[in-house]
Amino acid sequence: MPAQPLKGSWDALPHDIGASPTPGTTPEAPDSLSSSSDTPMYLTRSVTKRQSQTPFEITKTWTEDVKTQKTPIGTGPLQVTTPVDTPVHHTRSVTERRTKVQAAIIKGRTENANTTEAVENTMDTSLENTIEVNTPNNDKDEEHTTRDRRVTRSSSKKPNTETDENPQSGNGQIIVKTIKKTTKVTATRTPTVDRDSPDYRMPVKRGPDNPMGLTPGFSPYPNRNVPTSEACEDVYRILTAMHGKVDQPKKMPKASLEKAGCGEVPCVLDALLRTLVSGNTLMAMADQAIRNMVREYGLREHGSGAGSINWENVASEPEEKLAQVIKVSGNGNQKAKNIKLILDMVALEMAQMARENNGMGGKREVAFQETLNLDHTHTLTKDEAMAKLVRYPGIGIKSAACVALFCLRKPCFAVDTHVHRFCCWLGWVPEKANAEDCFKHCDVKVPDHLKYGIHQLFIRHGQQCFKCRKATRPGTKEWREAPECPLEHLLDRGKGDARGYD
C-alpha cells in the first residue's frame, strides 16, 4: 500500500524533522529520504513553510541530501524519488540569485571566476540584444542553474530588470535578454550627384546682398556648353524668316496710358511698378489696372515720367484705396503693399543721395530731385542694376530683367513663360530647370546682340504658332492639321515642365 501524506502539526512529523539544530552541528536528513524505495514520500506544505523559516544553511543541507531526486520541486507537495540519474535544481533564495546576476552584469565580476559578457549592439528598434554571463557555482559538487532575465532599456543609463525564472534549464548559464528602445529617426538619403554631368547645378549661396542668388558672369550649370553662339544664330534666323526681324528701338517710346507693357518706358520707377502690377495675371487685366490708376491718380507733369502715372499721388494716398484700384489685376492687397513700400524706399534713397550731394559741394548730380525716380540706375552696369532692383519687395528676377532690358536698355536675357518653355524644348537648360536658373544660364550663353531679338521672337512664336501654344497637345486632330513648326526639328516637347504657362 503506498505511503499516505503526513498530516497534523509539527508533532506528527517524522523524527528530527523541524527540530532546531544544535549550534555548530548539522542536522541529519531523515532515513526515509535516503531510502532506495521507489515509493515517493509526500511532505505537507508545512515542511516548505518550515524550510523558509529556517536559516539558509539548513535549506542548503536538505537540498544536497535530496539531489538525487527525479522530479524538480514544484508548486504541489514535495516529491522525492530514488533514481540517481537527474541532477537536482537548487532552491536558492531570489535575493541571492539577483545579487549574483547584478554582480555579473553591473560590476563585471563574480567570486572565484571571470565573468564573460557578449553584447550585441544594434540601431534597429526591433532587434534584441543578448548578453550571456557564465557564473560558476562556489560548490563544485552542485550543478549550475539557468535563469532568463529580460531587461528593457529606457532613456536612462541604468536598465530596469525583471526576472523570468525557468527552473527546467540547467546548463549553468545566466542569459540576459535586453531590448533597446530608440527613437525612430527618418534619414533622407541624398542622391549621388555626378559633378561631370551637364545637368549638374552648382550651389549658389543667397544672403542679404544677394537675395535671389544671382550669378553674374557665370552659369549655375558649369558643365553645360549649350546654347552655343551658332545655335542661337540658327534659331534667330529661323524665327526671323517667319515673324520678321526684331530690333530694339533706338528711341524710347512714350509711356502708354492703355497698356501695362513690359517696362519699355522712359522712367525707371514707372517701368518697375508697371511690371509689378502686370505680374502673375493676364495682360488684359494688367492693362485695366493701369487705366484705373491713370483715372484715379492723374499724370505727372515733369521729369522722366511726365505723361505717365503720378506716383507721388499714389505715395500720399492710403494703401487700401490703391488695393481697390488695382484689384482687377489680382492679389491687389499684396501688390498695393509692395508698391507703397517701394515708393517709401525710393524717397529715402533720394534723401540720402541729396545729403551726399550737398556734402560733396554739389558736384554730384542727382536727376529730377523734385520727383520720385530711379533714373540714377542708368549709370550702373547690368549686374549692378539687377542686384539693386531685386532688393525691392515684390520684384523678382523676371521683373528686374525686363526693366534692365527694356528700360535701362542693357543686354539682359529676360525669361518669361514663353522663353522658358522654348529654352527647355531646345535643350538649352536641363529638363527640370526653373525660370530663374534658366535666366542665370542663358544670360551668360546667349550673345548680347541677340538677347532682345530672341526674347521677343520666342514670345511672338509662342503666341502665334499653333503647335507651340499653351493649350495644344500632340496627336490631336487639330495638331495634325496645323502648319508645321519651323523649329520642329530642333524641339523636344517632352522636356521640361514649361507647358502650362501663359
Side-chain angles (χ1 to χ4, degrees):
M1 179 177 180
Q4 298 297 327
L6 297 177
K7 301 181 180 180
S9 63
W10 289 101
D11 297 333
L13 296 176
H15 177 67
D16 290 335
I17 294 180
S20 301
T22 303
T25 65
T26 303
E28 297 179 358
D31 296 338
S32 60
L33 297 181
S34 60
S35 175
S36 60
S37 176
D38 295 335
T39 302
M41 175 180 181
Y42 295 89
L43 302 180
T44 62
R45 289 184 179 273
S46 61
V47 176
T48 305
K49 180 178 180 181
R50 177 59 179 165
Q51 289 178 349
S52 64
Q53 293 176 351
T54 59
F56 176 76
E57 290 80 7
I58 297 178
T59 305
K60 183 176 180 182
T61 303
W62 276 53
T63 303
E64 292 181 0
D65 292 337
V66 297
K67 65 182 179 180
T68 58
Q69 67 179 359
K70 183 176 182 180
T71 305
I73 298 176
T75 59
L78 177 64
Q79 296 181 4
V80 181
T81 55
T82 56
V84 296
D85 297 332
T86 306
V88 70
H89 294 276
H90 308 298
T91 58
R92 298 180 182 177
S93 63
V94 176
T95 304
E96 181 187 7
R97 292 197 302 270
R98 287 183 177 177
T99 302
K100 288 197 173 185
V101 171
Q102 292 176 357
I105 296 176
I106 300 175
K107 296 182 180 180
R109 62 178 183 273
T110 58
E111 296 179 0
N112 303 328
N114 294 327
T115 301
T116 304
E117 295 184 5
V119 182
E120 178 182 357
N121 295 325
T122 179
M123 293 302 295
D124 193 346
T125 58
S126 63
L127 297 181
E128 289 188 354
N129 302 337
T130 301
I131 306 174
E132 293 187 4
V133 183
N134 298 325
T135 56
N137 195 349
N138 292 336
D139 300 326
K140 297 181 180 180
D141 296 336
E142 296 180 0
E143 296 294 333
H144 305 312
T145 304
T146 300
R147 296 292 181 266
D148 290 340
R149 293 177 179 268
R150 297 184 183 275
V151 180
T152 302
R153 297 187 182 274
S154 61
S155 58
S156 60
K157 295 182 179 179
K158 185 177 179 180
N160 297 325
T161 61
E162 295 181 357
T163 304
D164 295 332
E165 297 185 4
N166 181 14
Q168 301 298 329
S169 61
N171 55 4
Q173 294 182 343
I174 297 176
I175 301 177
V176 179
K177 296 182 180 180
T178 63
I179 303 175
K180 186 174 182 180
K181 293 184 178 180
T182 58
T183 304
K184 183 179 290 186
V185 178
T186 302
T188 303
R189 295 186 61 184
T190 303
T192 304
V193 179
D194 184 4
R195 294 181 178 270
D196 296 330
S197 171
D199 294 345
Y200 168 70
R201 183 185 182 279
M202 179 177 57
V204 180
K205 184 178 180 180
R206 302 192 180 200
D209 296 335
N210 189 15
M212 293 296 173
L214 295 173
T215 57
F218 64 93
S219 168
Y221 303 103
N223 302 326
R224 200 168 193 88
N225 299 321
V226 293
T228 62
S229 299
E230 293 76 11
C232 294
E233 293 282 358
D234 192 21
V235 170
Y236 180 78
R237 177 182 53 80
I238 294 173
L239 294 180
T240 299
M242 180 177 181
H243 302 287
K245 189 176 182 180
V246 178
D247 293 325
Q248 192 168 15
K250 296 181 179 180
K251 185 178 180 180
M252 182 68 66
K254 293 182 179 181
S256 173
L257 302 180
E258 298 292 332
K259 300 288 186 181
C262 52
E264 202 162 17
V265 292
C267 179
V268 180
L269 180 62
D270 190 28
L272 185 68
L273 298 179
R274 282 172 178 260
T275 57
L276 193 155
V277 172
S278 62
N280 298 321
T281 188
L282 298 176
M283 289 305 300
M285 300 295 101
D287 295 341
Q288 182 60 48
I290 292 298
R291 290 193 290 268
N292 293 344
M293 295 183 71
V294 170
R295 183 179 62 254
E296 189 68 31
Y297 297 106
L299 304 177
R300 278 181 170 180
E301 296 180 357
H302 49 267
S304 60
S308 185
I309 300 171
N310 192 327
W311 295 108
E312 287 77 17
N313 291 342
V314 175
S316 61
E317 294 288 340
E319 179 180 320
E320 293 76 11
K321 178 181 178 180
L322 176 60
Q324 291 298 321
V325 172
I326 63 175
K327 181 180 179 179
V328 66
S329 66
N331 201 12
N333 293 333
Q334 187 61 46
K335 289 182 179 180
K337 180 180 179 180
N338 291 335
I339 290 174
K340 296 287 286 186
L341 289 174
I342 291 175
L343 293 174
D344 292 342
M345 293 174 65
V346 171
L348 292 176
E349 291 175 5
M350 293 187 65
Q352 179 65 27
M353 293 174 61
R355 286 194 295 268
E356 294 177 356
N357 183 50
N358 295 333
M360 298 177 62
K363 294 181 180 180
R364 184 173 181 178
E365 181 180 358
V366 180
F368 310 110
Q369 298 184 19
E370 68 278 6
T371 61
L372 295 175
N373 67 85
L374 289 172
D375 293 341
H376 61 278
T377 54
H378 282 284
T379 62
L380 304 178
T381 65
K382 177 195 68 175
D383 296 332
E384 292 172 345
M386 286 289 298
K388 178 178 177 60
L389 294 176
V390 295
R391 296 180 186 177
Y392 292 110
I395 302 300
I397 291 180
K398 172 190 172 182
S399 298
C402 288
V403 173
L405 177 63
F406 295 107
C407 181
L408 298 179
R409 306 171 73 85
K410 306 289 184 182
C412 189
F413 192 73
V415 176
D416 74 338
T417 55
H418 296 286
V419 177
H420 183 208
R421 185 186 302 129
F422 280 111
C423 288
C424 290
W425 287 349
L426 289 167
W428 290 1
V429 294
E431 181 177 354
K432 297 183 180 180
N434 56 29
E436 293 182 355
D437 289 337
C438 181
F439 164 79
K440 297 172 187 177
H441 177 73
C442 292
D443 191 54
V444 177
K445 296 297 183 180
V446 176
D448 288 346
H449 68 281
L450 296 177
K451 289 179 179 178
Y452 182 92
I454 290 181
H455 172 88
Q456 294 284 46
L457 288 171
F458 277 163
I459 294 176
R460 290 186 185 181
H461 191 68
Q463 293 173 345
Q464 299 178 14
C465 178
F466 179 85
K467 293 186 176 180
C468 297
R469 290 177 184 173
K470 167 188 173 182
T472 57
R473 292 291 183 272
T476 62
K477 179 180 179 181
E478 294 79 5
W479 179 278
R480 292 191 295 268
E481 295 176 354
E484 189 69 18
C485 175
L487 294 176
E488 197 65 42
H489 64 289
L490 300 176
L491 302 181
D492 184 356
R493 300 180 188 274
K495 287 186 176 180
D497 193 22
R499 184 182 298 275
Y501 293 104
D502 199 4

